[in-house]
Amino acid sequence: MEQAEGSTQDARSLPGCYRHPDRETGVHCTRCDRPICPECMVSASVGFQCPECVREGSGTGHAPAASRPRTVAGGTVTADPRLLTKILIGINLAVFLVQLSVGDRFTNRFELIGHAYTYYLPGVQGIAEGQYYRLLTAMFLHGGYAHIAFNMLSLWWIGGPLEAALGRARYLALYFVSGLAGSALTYLLAAPNQPSLGASGAIFGLFGATAVLMRRLNYDMRPLIALLVINLIITFGPGMNIAWQAHIGGLVAGVITGYAMVHAPREKRALVQYGTCALVLAVVVVMALVRTAQLT
């Protein structure tokens, strides 16, 4: 009886990636049939191949030297698939140290604010005064130790695997498009004198894109959905001083952009992926201009 139960349990569990045994996966290389995780998946004309089969030119019709490993989204497989995530975390931490060193004068200069008087700065400040750089700079500011700790842990946990699955250029485009969309929706809907800051918009965009990717690969989405629901409950919880607009704007932009990254047809992949990024950025510009017209 015990042996039968163990066999049933083993049959239900997913195999580990042949290069990363600790990562369960339901995807196999179409050439050698070895299990491969998102980091090791190389998009092929049919399904996915492992990096070794691609390098050997197995069944591709090209010489091995002409074959380059590709990610699920068509990006180049790199030696350090988390490099940009590490750099983004480093930039956020460096900016936070500057905030601690310089004080509120620095934060007030670069946080997201629509149209208001602020401490330490002369005259009316804000995006409506032409300070559109605040849409970007606010993404790298944080309001305290707990704020930056939670965001950076989320960025490492979500961003690293997603960078490996998309490739560096597509991952970076997704990050900034999501962050700017969150900033723009905050500017459009929040009170003009309400300051906002943080990387949450970009991180919620990574959440949305990860959900799309997991759906594409038929992964169990329940852990991610549970984590996302918890974050949304915190976002809209009573007494929480959180810019929900940044979270929702980033999440929506992440889902849209992530869908384009993962489901773009192979023959028009770059056009669809970066064209979608451009369309989302166009919406960001429209929202910013509409709000500026309302406030001036």
Side-chain angles (χ1 to χ4, degrees), residues 188-220:
L188 179 66
L189 300 180
N193 63 343
Q194 177 62 49
S196 175
L197 71 174
S200 301
I203 292 172
F204 265 74
L206 302 185
F207 268 111
T210 298
V212 173
L213 177 64
M214 293 179 69
R215 177 72 174 175
R216 168 72 172 79
L217 299 177
N218 294 320
Y219 279 14
D220 184 2

PDB file of all heavy atoms in Angstrom, residues 188-220:
ATOM      1  N   LEU A 188      -3.067  60.996 -13.506  1.00  0.00           N
ATOM      2  CA  LEU A 188      -4.385  61.278 -14.072  1.00  0.00           C
ATOM      3  C   LEU A 188      -5.480  61.267 -13.009  1.00  0.00           C
ATOM      4  O   LEU A 188      -6.393  62.108 -13.040  1.00  0.00           O
ATOM      5  CB  LEU A 188      -4.708  60.251 -15.160  1.00  0.00           C
ATOM      6  CG  LEU A 188      -6.071  60.369 -15.850  1.00  0.00           C
ATOM      7  CD1 LEU A 188      -6.141  61.661 -16.671  1.00  0.00           C
ATOM      8  CD2 LEU A 188      -6.331  59.158 -16.737  1.00  0.00           C
ATOM      9  N   LEU A 189      -5.416  60.335 -12.065  1.00  0.00           N
ATOM     10  CA  LEU A 189      -6.535  60.108 -11.151  1.00  0.00           C
ATOM     11  C   LEU A 189      -6.318  60.622  -9.725  1.00  0.00           C
ATOM     12  O   LEU A 189      -7.294  60.908  -9.025  1.00  0.00           O
ATOM     13  CB  LEU A 189      -6.860  58.614 -11.103  1.00  0.00           C
ATOM     14  CG  LEU A 189      -7.268  57.949 -12.421  1.00  0.00           C
ATOM     15  CD1 LEU A 189      -7.562  56.474 -12.203  1.00  0.00           C
ATOM     16  CD2 LEU A 189      -8.466  58.646 -13.037  1.00  0.00           C
ATOM     17  N   ALA A 190      -5.088  60.706  -9.273  1.00  0.00           N
ATOM     18  CA  ALA A 190      -4.837  61.118  -7.889  1.00  0.00           C
ATOM     19  C   ALA A 190      -4.974  62.628  -7.739  1.00  0.00           C
ATOM     20  O   ALA A 190      -4.935  63.388  -8.721  1.00  0.00           O
ATOM     21  CB  ALA A 190      -3.445  60.671  -7.461  1.00  0.00           C
ATOM     22  N   ALA A 191      -5.133  63.059  -6.511  1.00  0.00           N
ATOM     23  CA  ALA A 191      -5.190  64.494  -6.234  1.00  0.00           C
ATOM     24  C   ALA A 191      -3.884  65.150  -6.666  1.00  0.00           C
ATOM     25  O   ALA A 191      -2.808  64.582  -6.473  1.00  0.00           O
ATOM     26  CB  ALA A 191      -5.439  64.726  -4.750  1.00  0.00           C
ATOM     27  N   PRO A 192      -3.945  66.353  -7.238  1.00  0.00           N
ATOM     28  CA  PRO A 192      -2.722  66.969  -7.768  1.00  0.00           C
ATOM     29  C   PRO A 192      -1.674  67.290  -6.706  1.00  0.00           C
ATOM     30  O   PRO A 192      -0.502  67.440  -7.033  1.00  0.00           O
ATOM     31  CB  PRO A 192      -3.241  68.246  -8.437  1.00  0.00           C
ATOM     32  CG  PRO A 192      -4.567  68.512  -7.806  1.00  0.00           C
ATOM     33  CD  PRO A 192      -5.137  67.176  -7.487  1.00  0.00           C
ATOM     34  N   ASN A 193      -2.094  67.408  -5.435  1.00  0.00           N
ATOM     35  CA  ASN A 193      -1.138  67.701  -4.373  1.00  0.00           C
ATOM     36  C   ASN A 193      -0.726  66.456  -3.591  1.00  0.00           C
ATOM     37  O   ASN A 193      -0.085  66.558  -2.548  1.00  0.00           O
ATOM     38  CB  ASN A 193      -1.720  68.726  -3.407  1.00  0.00           C
ATOM     39  CG  ASN A 193      -2.970  68.210  -2.694  1.00  0.00           C
ATOM     40  OD1 ASN A 193      -3.579  67.239  -3.133  1.00  0.00           O
ATOM     41  ND2 ASN A 193      -3.352  68.870  -1.611  1.00  0.00           N
ATOM     42  N   GLN A 194      -1.090  65.274  -4.109  1.00  0.00           N
ATOM     43  CA  GLN A 194      -0.760  64.005  -3.434  1.00  0.00           C
ATOM     44  C   GLN A 194       0.522  63.432  -4.007  1.00  0.00           C
ATOM     45  O   GLN A 194       0.556  62.987  -5.159  1.00  0.00           O
ATOM     46  CB  GLN A 194      -1.901  63.006  -3.615  1.00  0.00           C
ATOM     47  CG  GLN A 194      -1.624  61.625  -3.012  1.00  0.00           C
ATOM     48  CD  GLN A 194      -1.431  61.687  -1.508  1.00  0.00           C
ATOM     49  OE1 GLN A 194      -2.225  62.288  -0.799  1.00  0.00           O
ATOM     50  NE2 GLN A 194      -0.359  61.089  -1.017  1.00  0.00           N
ATOM     51  N   PRO A 195       1.620  63.432  -3.239  1.00  0.00           N
ATOM     52  CA  PRO A 195       2.871  62.863  -3.762  1.00  0.00           C
ATOM     53  C   PRO A 195       2.811  61.340  -3.831  1.00  0.00           C
ATOM     54  O   PRO A 195       2.107  60.695  -3.055  1.00  0.00           O
ATOM     55  CB  PRO A 195       3.922  63.329  -2.752  1.00  0.00           C
ATOM     56  CG  PRO A 195       3.160  63.522  -1.481  1.00  0.00           C
ATOM     57  CD  PRO A 195       1.781  63.973  -1.881  1.00  0.00           C
ATOM     58  N   SER A 196       3.563  60.784  -4.760  1.00  0.00           N
ATOM     59  CA  SER A 196       3.613  59.326  -4.935  1.00  0.00           C
ATOM     60  C   SER A 196       5.021  58.943  -5.351  1.00  0.00           C
ATOM     61  O   SER A 196       5.691  59.673  -6.084  1.00  0.00           O
ATOM     62  CB  SER A 196       2.596  58.881  -5.985  1.00  0.00           C
ATOM     63  OG  SER A 196       2.715  57.503  -6.255  1.00  0.00           O
ATOM     64  N   LEU A 197       5.470  57.786  -4.902  1.00  0.00           N
ATOM     65  CA  LEU A 197       6.802  57.308  -5.251  1.00  0.00           C
ATOM     66  C   LEU A 197       6.883  55.807  -5.033  1.00  0.00           C
ATOM     67  O   LEU A 197       6.086  55.237  -4.301  1.00  0.00           O
ATOM     68  CB  LEU A 197       7.872  58.025  -4.429  1.00  0.00           C
ATOM     69  CG  LEU A 197       8.023  57.727  -2.930  1.00  0.00           C
ATOM     70  CD1 LEU A 197       9.236  58.459  -2.383  1.00  0.00           C
ATOM     71  CD2 LEU A 197       6.809  58.114  -2.112  1.00  0.00           C
ATOM     72  N   GLY A 198       7.842  55.172  -5.710  1.00  0.00           N
ATOM     73  CA  GLY A 198       8.041  53.745  -5.534  1.00  0.00           C
ATOM     74  C   GLY A 198       8.091  52.979  -6.845  1.00  0.00           C
ATOM     75  O   GLY A 198       7.584  53.440  -7.871  1.00  0.00           O
ATOM     76  N   ALA A 199       8.679  51.776  -6.787  1.00  0.00           N
ATOM     77  CA  ALA A 199       8.806  50.910  -7.961  1.00  0.00           C
ATOM     78  C   ALA A 199       7.623  49.966  -8.115  1.00  0.00           C
ATOM     79  O   ALA A 199       7.659  49.071  -8.961  1.00  0.00           O
ATOM     80  CB  ALA A 199      10.098  50.097  -7.862  1.00  0.00           C
ATOM     81  N   SER A 200       6.571  50.172  -7.325  1.00  0.00           N
ATOM     82  CA  SER A 200       5.467  49.214  -7.307  1.00  0.00           C
ATOM     83  C   SER A 200       4.765  49.083  -8.652  1.00  0.00           C
ATOM     84  O   SER A 200       4.326  47.992  -9.020  1.00  0.00           O
ATOM     85  CB  SER A 200       4.452  49.621  -6.229  1.00  0.00           C
ATOM     86  OG  SER A 200       5.053  49.667  -4.961  1.00  0.00           O
ATOM     87  N   GLY A 201       4.622  50.186  -9.384  1.00  0.00           N
ATOM     88  CA  GLY A 201       3.960  50.106 -10.680  1.00  0.00           C
ATOM     89  C   GLY A 201       4.684  49.171 -11.621  1.00  0.00           C
ATOM     90  O   GLY A 201       4.074  48.317 -12.279  1.00  0.00           O
ATOM     91  N   ALA A 202       6.011  49.305 -11.694  1.00  0.00           N
ATOM     92  CA  ALA A 202       6.803  48.429 -12.552  1.00  0.00           C
ATOM     93  C   ALA A 202       6.741  46.983 -12.067  1.00  0.00           C
ATOM     94  O   ALA A 202       6.639  46.049 -12.877  1.00  0.00           O
ATOM     95  CB  ALA A 202       8.250  48.910 -12.590  1.00  0.00           C
ATOM     96  N   ILE A 203       6.776  46.791 -10.759  1.00  0.00           N
ATOM     97  CA  ILE A 203       6.765  45.432 -10.208  1.00  0.00           C
ATOM     98  C   ILE A 203       5.417  44.770 -10.442  1.00  0.00           C
ATOM     99  O   ILE A 203       5.349  43.568 -10.764  1.00  0.00           O
ATOM    100  CB  ILE A 203       7.110  45.472  -8.708  1.00  0.00           C
ATOM    101  CG1 ILE A 203       8.577  45.901  -8.540  1.00  0.00           C
ATOM    102  CG2 ILE A 203       6.876  44.116  -8.056  1.00  0.00           C
ATOM    103  CD1 ILE A 203       8.991  46.167  -7.120  1.00  0.00           C
ATOM    104  N   PHE A 204       4.325  45.514 -10.326  1.00  0.00           N
ATOM    105  CA  PHE A 204       3.019  44.947 -10.638  1.00  0.00           C
ATOM    106  C   PHE A 204       2.928  44.597 -12.121  1.00  0.00           C
ATOM    107  O   PHE A 204       2.242  43.637 -12.504  1.00  0.00           O
ATOM    108  CB  PHE A 204       1.894  45.912 -10.246  1.00  0.00           C
ATOM    109  CG  PHE A 204       1.320  45.633  -8.890  1.00  0.00           C
ATOM    110  CD1 PHE A 204       2.014  45.953  -7.741  1.00  0.00           C
ATOM    111  CD2 PHE A 204       0.070  45.037  -8.754  1.00  0.00           C
ATOM    112  CE1 PHE A 204       1.505  45.698  -6.483  1.00  0.00           C
ATOM    113  CE2 PHE A 204      -0.462  44.765  -7.508  1.00  0.00           C
ATOM    114  CZ  PHE A 204       0.259  45.094  -6.360  1.00  0.00           C
ATOM    115  N   GLY A 205       3.618  45.350 -12.975  1.00  0.00           N
ATOM    116  CA  GLY A 205       3.686  44.987 -14.379  1.00  0.00           C
ATOM    117  C   GLY A 205       4.385  43.663 -14.587  1.00  0.00           C
ATOM    118  O   GLY A 205       3.979  42.841 -15.420  1.00  0.00           O
ATOM    119  N   LEU A 206       5.442  43.416 -13.804  1.00  0.00           N
ATOM    120  CA  LEU A 206       6.130  42.128 -13.873  1.00  0.00           C
ATOM    121  C   LEU A 206       5.221  41.007 -13.382  1.00  0.00           C
ATOM    122  O   LEU A 206       5.254  39.893 -13.923  1.00  0.00           O
ATOM    123  CB  LEU A 206       7.412  42.171 -13.040  1.00  0.00           C
ATOM    124  CG  LEU A 206       8.451  43.238 -13.408  1.00  0.00           C
ATOM    125  CD1 LEU A 206       9.702  43.062 -12.569  1.00  0.00           C
ATOM    126  CD2 LEU A 206       8.787  43.197 -14.893  1.00  0.00           C
ATOM    127  N   PHE A 207       4.413  41.276 -12.359  1.00  0.00           N
ATOM    128  CA  PHE A 207       3.431  40.302 -11.899  1.00  0.00           C
ATOM    129  C   PHE A 207       2.497  39.906 -13.046  1.00  0.00           C
ATOM    130  O   PHE A 207       2.246  38.716 -13.288  1.00  0.00           O
ATOM    131  CB  PHE A 207       2.591  40.885 -10.751  1.00  0.00           C
ATOM    132  CG  PHE A 207       3.125  40.603  -9.379  1.00  0.00           C
ATOM    133  CD1 PHE A 207       3.640  41.613  -8.598  1.00  0.00           C
ATOM    134  CD2 PHE A 207       3.114  39.311  -8.866  1.00  0.00           C
ATOM    135  CE1 PHE A 207       4.132  41.359  -7.326  1.00  0.00           C
ATOM    136  CE2 PHE A 207       3.602  39.043  -7.602  1.00  0.00           C
ATOM    137  CZ  PHE A 207       4.115  40.077  -6.826  1.00  0.00           C
ATOM    138  N   GLY A 208       1.959  40.920 -13.731  1.00  0.00           N
ATOM    139  CA  GLY A 208       1.020  40.654 -14.813  1.00  0.00           C
ATOM    140  C   GLY A 208       1.641  39.856 -15.940  1.00  0.00           C
ATOM    141  O   GLY A 208       1.041  38.905 -16.454  1.00  0.00           O
ATOM    142  N   ALA A 209       2.870  40.224 -16.335  1.00  0.00           N
ATOM    143  CA  ALA A 209       3.549  39.502 -17.408  1.00  0.00           C
ATOM    144  C   ALA A 209       3.889  38.078 -16.987  1.00  0.00           C
ATOM    145  O   ALA A 209       3.832  37.147 -17.803  1.00  0.00           O
ATOM    146  CB  ALA A 209       4.817  40.253 -17.814  1.00  0.00           C
ATOM    147  N   THR A 210       4.245  37.885 -15.724  1.00  0.00           N
ATOM    148  CA  THR A 210       4.542  36.537 -15.234  1.00  0.00           C
ATOM    149  C   THR A 210       3.309  35.651 -15.295  1.00  0.00           C
ATOM    150  O   THR A 210       3.385  34.460 -15.641  1.00  0.00           O
ATOM    151  CB  THR A 210       5.069  36.601 -13.783  1.00  0.00           C
ATOM    152  OG1 THR A 210       6.283  37.351 -13.764  1.00  0.00           O
ATOM    153  CG2 THR A 210       5.344  35.203 -13.243  1.00  0.00           C
ATOM    154  N   ALA A 211       2.157  36.218 -14.967  1.00  0.00           N
ATOM    155  CA  ALA A 211       0.910  35.454 -15.056  1.00  0.00           C
ATOM    156  C   ALA A 211       0.639  35.013 -16.492  1.00  0.00           C
ATOM    157  O   ALA A 211       0.238  33.871 -16.749  1.00  0.00           O
ATOM    158  CB  ALA A 211      -0.254  36.293 -14.535  1.00  0.00           C
ATOM    159  N   VAL A 212       0.876  35.912 -17.444  1.00  0.00           N
ATOM    160  CA  VAL A 212       0.690  35.573 -18.858  1.00  0.00           C
ATOM    161  C   VAL A 212       1.647  34.463 -19.269  1.00  0.00           C
ATOM    162  O   VAL A 212       1.264  33.508 -19.959  1.00  0.00           O
ATOM    163  CB  VAL A 212       0.896  36.819 -19.737  1.00  0.00           C
ATOM    164  CG1 VAL A 212       0.879  36.436 -21.221  1.00  0.00           C
ATOM    165  CG2 VAL A 212      -0.174  37.861 -19.459  1.00  0.00           C
ATOM    166  N   LEU A 213       2.900  34.565 -18.836  1.00  0.00           N
ATOM    167  CA  LEU A 213       3.899  33.557 -19.188  1.00  0.00           C
ATOM    168  C   LEU A 213       3.553  32.201 -18.588  1.00  0.00           C
ATOM    169  O   LEU A 213       3.639  31.166 -19.269  1.00  0.00           O
ATOM    170  CB  LEU A 213       5.275  34.006 -18.705  1.00  0.00           C
ATOM    171  CG  LEU A 213       6.431  33.020 -18.925  1.00  0.00           C
ATOM    172  CD1 LEU A 213       6.662  32.791 -20.412  1.00  0.00           C
ATOM    173  CD2 LEU A 213       7.706  33.531 -18.251  1.00  0.00           C
ATOM    174  N   MET A 214       3.146  32.192 -17.322  1.00  0.00           N
ATOM    175  CA  MET A 214       2.793  30.930 -16.672  1.00  0.00           C
ATOM    176  C   MET A 214       1.585  30.291 -17.336  1.00  0.00           C
ATOM    177  O   MET A 214       1.511  29.065 -17.472  1.00  0.00           O
ATOM    178  CB  MET A 214       2.538  31.166 -15.189  1.00  0.00           C
ATOM    179  CG  MET A 214       3.784  31.567 -14.413  1.00  0.00           C
ATOM    180  SD  MET A 214       3.471  31.889 -12.661  1.00  0.00           S
ATOM    181  CE  MET A 214       3.085  30.225 -12.080  1.00  0.00           C
ATOM    182  N   ARG A 215       0.647  31.109 -17.755  1.00  0.00           N
ATOM    183  CA  ARG A 215      -0.510  30.591 -18.488  1.00  0.00           C
ATOM    184  C   ARG A 215      -0.086  29.987 -19.827  1.00  0.00           C
ATOM    185  O   ARG A 215      -0.571  28.922 -20.220  1.00  0.00           O
ATOM    186  CB  ARG A 215      -1.508  31.725 -18.728  1.00  0.00           C
ATOM    187  CG  ARG A 215      -2.724  31.346 -19.538  1.00  0.00           C
ATOM    188  CD  ARG A 215      -3.670  30.480 -18.749  1.00  0.00           C
ATOM    189  NE  ARG A 215      -4.899  30.235 -19.493  1.00  0.00           N
ATOM    190  CZ  ARG A 215      -5.867  29.426 -19.080  1.00  0.00           C
ATOM    191  NH1 ARG A 215      -5.761  28.809 -17.908  1.00  0.00           N
ATOM    192  NH2 ARG A 215      -6.944  29.239 -19.805  1.00  0.00           N
ATOM    193  N   ARG A 216       0.851  30.645 -20.482  1.00  0.00           N
ATOM    194  CA  ARG A 216       1.345  30.169 -21.773  1.00  0.00           C
ATOM    195  C   ARG A 216       2.044  28.821 -21.633  1.00  0.00           C
ATOM    196  O   ARG A 216       1.951  27.953 -22.510  1.00  0.00           O
ATOM    197  CB  ARG A 216       2.307  31.214 -22.336  1.00  0.00           C
ATOM    198  CG  ARG A 216       3.144  30.771 -23.534  1.00  0.00           C
ATOM    199  CD  ARG A 216       2.300  30.649 -24.787  1.00  0.00           C
ATOM    200  NE  ARG A 216       3.133  30.416 -25.948  1.00  0.00           N
ATOM    201  CZ  ARG A 216       3.656  29.250 -26.290  1.00  0.00           C
ATOM    202  NH1 ARG A 216       3.426  28.178 -25.547  1.00  0.00           N
ATOM    203  NH2 ARG A 216       4.391  29.145 -27.380  1.00  0.00           N
ATOM    204  N   LEU A 217       2.741  28.617 -20.513  1.00  0.00           N
ATOM    205  CA  LEU A 217       3.503  27.388 -20.308  1.00  0.00           C
ATOM    206  C   LEU A 217       2.728  26.339 -19.521  1.00  0.00           C
ATOM    207  O   LEU A 217       3.278  25.295 -19.161  1.00  0.00           O
ATOM    208  CB  LEU A 217       4.805  27.713 -19.568  1.00  0.00           C
ATOM    209  CG  LEU A 217       5.765  28.671 -20.287  1.00  0.00           C
ATOM    210  CD1 LEU A 217       6.968  28.961 -19.423  1.00  0.00           C
ATOM    211  CD2 LEU A 217       6.186  28.126 -21.645  1.00  0.00           C
ATOM    212  N   ASN A 218       1.458  26.614 -19.238  1.00  0.00           N
ATOM    213  CA  ASN A 218       0.585  25.693 -18.506  1.00  0.00           C
ATOM    214  C   ASN A 218       1.119  25.372 -17.107  1.00  0.00           C
ATOM    215  O   ASN A 218       1.009  24.251 -16.625  1.00  0.00           O
ATOM    216  CB  ASN A 218       0.384  24.387 -19.297  1.00  0.00           C
ATOM    217  CG  ASN A 218      -0.385  24.613 -20.582  1.00  0.00           C
ATOM    218  OD1 ASN A 218      -1.334  25.389 -20.615  1.00  0.00           O
ATOM    219  ND2 ASN A 218       0.032  23.954 -21.651  1.00  0.00           N
ATOM    220  N   TYR A 219       1.707  26.367 -16.444  1.00  0.00           N
ATOM    221  CA  TYR A 219       2.174  26.196 -15.075  1.00  0.00           C
ATOM    222  C   TYR A 219       1.011  26.375 -14.104  1.00  0.00           C
ATOM    223  O   TYR A 219      -0.016  26.971 -14.444  1.00  0.00           O
ATOM    224  CB  TYR A 219       3.260  27.222 -14.749  1.00  0.00           C
ATOM    225  CG  TYR A 219       4.637  26.863 -15.241  1.00  0.00           C
ATOM    226  CD1 TYR A 219       4.843  25.841 -16.166  1.00  0.00           C
ATOM    227  CD2 TYR A 219       5.758  27.559 -14.787  1.00  0.00           C
ATOM    228  CE1 TYR A 219       6.101  25.523 -16.609  1.00  0.00           C
ATOM    229  CE2 TYR A 219       7.030  27.248 -15.243  1.00  0.00           C
ATOM    230  CZ  TYR A 219       7.193  26.228 -16.154  1.00  0.00           C
ATOM    231  OH  TYR A 219       8.454  25.912 -16.603  1.00  0.00           O
ATOM    232  N   ASP A 220       1.184  25.880 -12.896  1.00  0.00           N
ATOM    233  CA  ASP A 220       0.199  26.077 -11.840  1.00  0.00           C
ATOM    234  C   ASP A 220       0.232  27.541 -11.408  1.00  0.00           C
ATOM    235  O   ASP A 220       1.225  28.014 -10.840  1.00  0.00           O
ATOM    236  CB  ASP A 220       0.524  25.169 -10.649  1.00  0.00           C
ATOM    237  CG  ASP A 220      -0.520  25.265  -9.544  1.00  0.00           C
ATOM    238  OD1 ASP A 220      -1.505  26.004  -9.706  1.00  0.00           O
ATOM    239  OD2 ASP A 220      -0.341  24.602  -8.504  1.00  0.00           O
TER     240      ASP A 220
END
